[in-house]
Amino acid sequence: MENNKLQKNLGLAAALSTVIGMVIGGGVFFKPQAVYELTNGGPGLGIIAWVIAGIMTITAGLTAAEISAAIPKTGGMMVYIEEIYDKRLGFLTGWMQSVLFFPATIAAISVMFGKQSAILLGNENLVLPMTIGVIAFIAFINTLGSKTSGSIQTISTIAKLIPLILIMIFGFIKGNGNNPILTPMVGDGVSGASVFGSLLIAILFAYDGWINVGALAGEMKNPAKDLPKAIVGGLSLVMAVYIVINIAYLWVLPASELATYSSPASAVAEAIFGPMGGKFITVGILISVFGCINGYVLTGSRILYTLGTQKTIPYSKYISKLNNNNVPANATIIMCILGALYATSGQFNLLSDLSMFAVWSFYVLTFLGVFKLRKERPDLHRPYKVPLYPVIPMIAIAGGLFVVVNQLLFSGFQNTIISFGGILITLVGLPIYDSMQKRAKKHEGDDLDKIA
């Protein structure tokens, strides 16, 4: 939908709530385990990393919002990069999202759903069936129509707030508060400098979703004034919630213990409310996670569908087909099959780190696009401009480059291999794109010969 067809009826309050709803997902319930495992039970650097990642996210949101406000087209980052650079790079963005970012994210969150469901049911053998089962069920739901998917999002948004609020309130009331919060920075045998990049990429998973914030510009009454307020205010509130709940976790259980639980939130809830109360909170977390998976399936399948409509990938006719409910069912099924394949690894942190590395590489290109557009298209209508230009975009670029380079070169052999694997899978898109372009030109030539 183009900008001139959108109704400008969003005020600051609506924009703020939308920002918060888009960003808060399942990561806040599970990522503390990876954080304190990396710091070997030292809480200080973990808390600082939540703050730094929040600041990075705010600068990223403020920067990307200028692009999305100036290019009010559907398709998100894929369309922005195509418009700023060229169609080939735009395709590569959509390819990365379709084969790496969305499937790996769907898989990562589904793995946690499977693990928590199995713990709740008291049967570890159910982890893989529940993991694959939730992906299959959400795939089915998403073929029924967008109204059904939208209803799930509304219910899950409410559900995710309940455990967050309860843990934050009762964590401080019932927790003993004897556990250290800021000291030591890291545990024995760990260098803070060596793990900081890995901490950021782990935590940025919990902040993901900010890229969609700029899409609000076309529906806001006064985007130039209210969009930066919504981004800074909304993401600051998210950051505050994340910091407070992490302190609440530590108020109840020490970091060294949180590092041993796949779901620190559930462990803390059980310590606060007892076994039955803990299960109640876990159910709330599972509903939230279910909605999170649904959101990524819903949005990810639309990116794949767009590639199909552009006829830039094999089997485009099949992928771009809509079912009787007017939704891209085939693209949805393909996205979920890829997610299920990734999920068989059972590795939540590995999958989430892979998705973050892949997507942040392209986020940096988006940030650089602000400078490119300002130079090459100074007369482009910009309903919103990033404040404190060029400082804010430069901070966003520097933060993004640090995350990507650190994950690629300085976070250990396993992360380097995973990162290079992600690059390889992304680059496979180039020969596919070239092949499809040649095929399209050949068909055009054949059609001209027939006319002649």
Side-chain angles (χ1 to χ4, degrees), residues 67-293:
I67 299 286
S68 50
I71 307 172
K73 297 180 181 179
T74 53
M77 185 166 60
M78 176 174 70
V79 172
Y80 308 152
I81 288 180
E82 179 181 318
E83 187 90 7
I84 297 165
Y85 300 100
D86 57 39
K87 288 186 176 181
R88 204 162 183 251
L89 198 53
F91 164 80
L92 205 62
T93 307
W95 171 262
M96 175 278 299
Q97 290 177 302
S98 296
V99 300
L100 265 184
F101 173 69
F102 282 107
T105 304
I106 290 164
I109 306 171
S110 298
V111 165
M112 291 315 302
F113 184 93
K115 287 182 178 180
Q116 291 312 299
S117 299
I119 291 169
L120 195 65
L121 296 169
N123 187 345
E124 289 186 6
N125 295 324
L126 292 175
V127 173
L128 188 58
M130 292 298 292
T131 300
I132 304 301
V134 72
I135 296 174
F137 183 60
I138 289 174
F140 169 72
I141 288 171
N142 273 268
T143 64
L144 300 179
S146 55
K147 189 176 180 180
T148 306
S149 304
S151 299
I152 291 169
Q153 288 307 106
T154 303
I155 294 166
S156 69
T157 298
I158 297 166
K160 70 186 171 189
L161 294 176
I162 294 171
L164 278 171
I165 293 167
L166 290 176
I167 290 171
M168 283 192 288
I169 293 172
F170 289 98
F172 290 111
I173 293 172
K174 291 198 166 188
N176 57 35
N178 294 329
N179 305 316
I181 306 297
L182 291 174
T183 56
M185 292 293 284
V186 292
D188 294 337
V190 174
S191 163
S194 65
V195 300
F196 189 65
S198 297
L199 284 174
L200 284 181
I201 208 157
I203 292 170
L204 285 169
F205 182 78
Y207 281 103
D208 196 54
W210 58 266
I211 190 68
N212 304 307
V213 169
L216 298 173
E219 296 171 82
M220 293 184 72
K221 296 172 187 175
N222 190 348
K225 181 182 176 183
D226 289 342
L227 187 57
K229 289 180 181 177
I231 292 169
V232 174
L235 292 177
S236 295
L237 189 57
V238 170
M239 181 170 69
V241 168
Y242 284 178
I243 293 165
V244 170
I245 197 166
N246 273 278
I247 293 172
Y249 292 155
L250 292 168
W251 210 258
V252 178
L253 296 174
S256 56
E257 194 171 334
L258 291 172
T260 65
Y261 292 107
S262 60
S263 175
S266 297
V268 168
E270 188 168 332
I272 297 170
F273 302 109
M276 286 307 297
K279 286 182 179 180
F280 172 77
I281 297 295
T282 299
V283 169
I285 293 170
L286 285 173
I287 296 170
S288 169
V289 171
F290 185 90
C292 211
I293 301 166

Side-chain angles (χ1 to χ4, degrees), residues 39-61:
T39 64
N40 196 23
L45 192 61
I47 295 295
I48 290 169
W50 281 98
V51 176
I52 300 295
I55 294 168
M56 279 179 61
T57 303
I58 291 169
T59 62

